[in-house]
Amino acid sequence: MVKKEYRSRAFWRIAAVWTVLTMSAVTPLSALADGPGGSSSSASAVSVGIAGPGAESGQGPLPTVTEDYPTIESTVHAGEAVPTVGGGTGTGTAASSAAVSSEIAKPEISSEAAALYDVTHGQFLFEKNSGTRFYPASITKVMTALLAAENLNPDQTVTVSEAAVSNLESGAVTLDVKAGDTFRAGDVLYGMWLKSANELANVLAEAVSGSVSSFVGKMNARAAQIGATGTHFANTNGLNDSNHYTTAHDYALITAEAFRNSTVQKVASSLHYTFPATGTQGSQYLTMGHKMLNPASAYYYENFIGGKTGYTSKAGNTLTSVAEQNGVRLVAVVLKSSGTHYPDTRKLFDYGFAAVQSSAQNAANSSQSGESGSQGPGAGQVSGPGASGSSDANAGSVIGSRWVEETAGVWKFLKKDGTYAASETLRIKDHYYTFSADGRMVTGWQNGDGYWRYYRSEGSMRTNVWIQSGGLWYYVGETGVMLTNTVTPDGYTVNEEGVWVP
């Protein structure tokens, strides 16, 4: 009976996620290459993660890894030049981002989980338990605000329903609005963020989707689109719920995406706001809860842009924060803190900006010393598009390992020996990436060693997840291999071609 009930819940969970994605017209996460059961018509398919106990490992091995890169020097984007030791450039296709310098001591973080994300260069500079699930508390409202900003006109009128103000747990922060009150959507957004008013998150949700439950589906679909695969929302505001969780890594990505929206950034950067009067109470003067924005606070941070606070009895203190210095934007997230969330965030920002500056200076110094014949780290000639070995007057020794964007969206990986990864799989920051014979990072379905595996649009191999392709469902296990002729961890049968059999 227990197994039957579990399988039933799992089925409706898949059905619910798929319904949300199709009815909400969500942009697909990635176009899937032809794979098992797939065809060119599967280009609009969506991959959906289902939380489960973990896949069977007997269906195939992990891919063979030729090299392991726990860290990388930098990320290099299209149109810029790969810096080399020797005074020239390597491929002529990309430029170095600032990397984490080994000369800068990593901060001691007391919070149970933390992540520091360099938005400018697209890389994580620091992570502590960043893949472990924790309750987010009110930083949940960052996602609520993003969807509201994307779907509502700030001047449109929204009406408070009885459902929006009901069933909030005891002690939940509110602005005490009443059913029947009407506001501008923009006022509600400011009130939700600055006061962290829980009922206003529900008001925005109903304005966007008609109901809180439908809006929560949009939240989960948007999180998946961003790449936050370890996150699941169960409500709009972050109040305690065992099925409402995130990771520090995920919430750094979510925050970075939210702050690309000009409306969200404007709200999150506002120290004060006057919330309008209603029929039962006067106007309310609100002050931003995030203390790093307030010059009068001991926690004020000069380069701070904005952020969101959170706290519940189960989540502890949570904090997501954005700062920018010399054109470099960083996102810091701390979860499950016991009062150290502000000092921890300051440590992360100070470390990140110092590391970026140090690495940029080291790269410049190495380039200058190379002009006088000095050899630097990563000796060896560049092998890749635009390079011609030692006969190229501009070729030199590549400074460390790095991602290189050959053209927009086409990525290669420059290894520590100065050659590009090709016809191999690398483990980079604990994720598996596979490269074709011409050195390009693969995505979608791949079968290079007799086993089907699926790679995200950003390149990392997926594990323990359902994949929808060509109208059919497949499951990839903990080694990344598509399961066949077996029962999946959540109780479903897949046939010899890996297809779920209803």
Side-chain angles (χ1 to χ4, degrees), residues 16-17 19-21 23-24 147 161 163-164 201-221 232-237:
V17 172
T19 299
V20 167
L21 290 171
M23 293 183 66
S24 302
L147 288 175
S161 73
N202 291 336
V203 172
L204 290 172
E206 291 180 346
V208 171
S209 300
S211 69
V212 168
S213 59
S214 178
F215 184 83
V216 169
K218 285 183 179 290
M219 294 172 73
N220 286 316
H232 185 268
F233 296 108
N235 57 54
T236 65
N237 43 40

Side-chain angles (χ1 to χ4, degrees), residues 385-472:
S388 57
S390 59
S391 63
D392 186 342
N394 288 327
S397 301
V398 176
I399 305 172
S401 57
R402 65 192 72 231
W403 284 104
V404 176
E405 189 179 27
E406 183 181 38
T407 57
V410 177
W411 289 93
K412 295 187 173 185
F413 189 81
L414 198 58
K415 300 190 294 184
K416 55 193 173 186
D417 66 357
T419 64
Y420 283 95
S423 299
E424 62 186 312
T425 295
L426 304 181
R427 186 166 53 222
I428 303 171
K429 294 185 175 180
D430 292 326
H431 294 284
Y432 294 87
Y433 297 82
T434 295
F435 300 85
S436 62
D438 64 359
R440 298 187 178 193
M441 179 192 76
V442 303
T443 60
W445 287 108
Q446 302 294 327
N447 187 343
D449 58 355
Y451 298 101
W452 283 107
R453 297 184 178 87
Y454 184 79
Y455 294 80
R456 292 183 175 93
S457 58
E458 47 78 22
S460 62
M461 183 185 74
R462 302 218 66 181
T463 60
N464 294 335
V465 70
W466 283 99
I467 305 291
Q468 198 277 342
S469 176
L472 302 174

Side-chain angles (χ1 to χ4, degrees), residues 206-290:
E206 291 180 346
V208 171
S209 300
S211 69
V212 168
S213 59
S214 178
F215 184 83
V216 169
K218 285 183 179 290
M219 294 172 73
N220 286 316
R222 191 71 170 93
Q225 188 180 38
I226 292 169
T229 57
T231 294
H232 185 268
F233 296 108
N235 57 54
T236 65
N237 43 40
L239 294 177
N240 290 324
D241 189 303
S242 60
N243 201 33
H244 189 89
Y245 51 81
T246 191
T247 69
H249 182 103
D250 279 5
Y251 230 80
L253 297 178
I254 290 170
T255 301
E257 180 71 7
F259 273 69
R260 293 185 180 102
N261 184 288
S262 59
T263 298
V264 171
Q265 180 164 314
K266 181 179 179 182
V267 171
S269 302
S270 300
L271 183 57
H272 299 292
Y273 192 78
T274 300
F275 191 76
T278 69
T280 58
Q281 61 182 346
S283 62
Q284 301 181 63
Y285 187 66
L286 308 180
T287 298
M288 171 66 73
H290 201 307

Side-chain angles (χ1 to χ4, degrees), residues 2-12 490-493:
V2 172
K3 183 176 182 181
K4 183 177 181 180
E5 290 176 352
Y6 179 71
R7 293 180 65 171
S8 176
R9 289 197 303 271
F11 170 80
W12 288 112
D490 47 353
Y492 291 96
T493 299

Side-chain angles (χ1 to χ4, degrees), residues 112-185:
E112 291 193 24
L116 179 65
Y117 181 52
D118 179 349
V119 181
T120 304
H121 302 110
Q123 62 180 344
F124 281 85
L125 306 181
F126 178 92
E127 298 185 85
K128 174 185 176 181
N129 298 328
S130 65
T132 303
R133 293 174 178 176
F134 290 92
Y135 297 120
S138 281
I139 65 173
T140 296
K141 297 181 178 94
V142 174
M143 176 61 85
T144 303
L146 174 59
L147 288 175
E150 290 176 337
N151 291 279
L152 299 176
N153 184 319
D155 292 323
Q156 77 180 73
T157 299
V158 298
T159 302
V160 179
S161 73
E162 184 64 38
V165 298
S166 301
N167 301 318
L168 299 176
E169 65 186 50
S170 176
V173 174
T174 72
L175 273 173
D176 200 28
V177 301
K178 308 298 183 184
D181 287 344
T182 59
F183 302 97
R184 291 174 56 257

Side-chain angles (χ1 to χ4, degrees), residues 13-36:
R13 192 172 180 188
I14 293 173
V17 172
W18 178 241
T19 299
V20 167
L21 290 171
T22 54
M23 293 183 66
S24 302
V26 176
T27 302
L29 294 182
S30 61
L32 303 185
D34 289 353

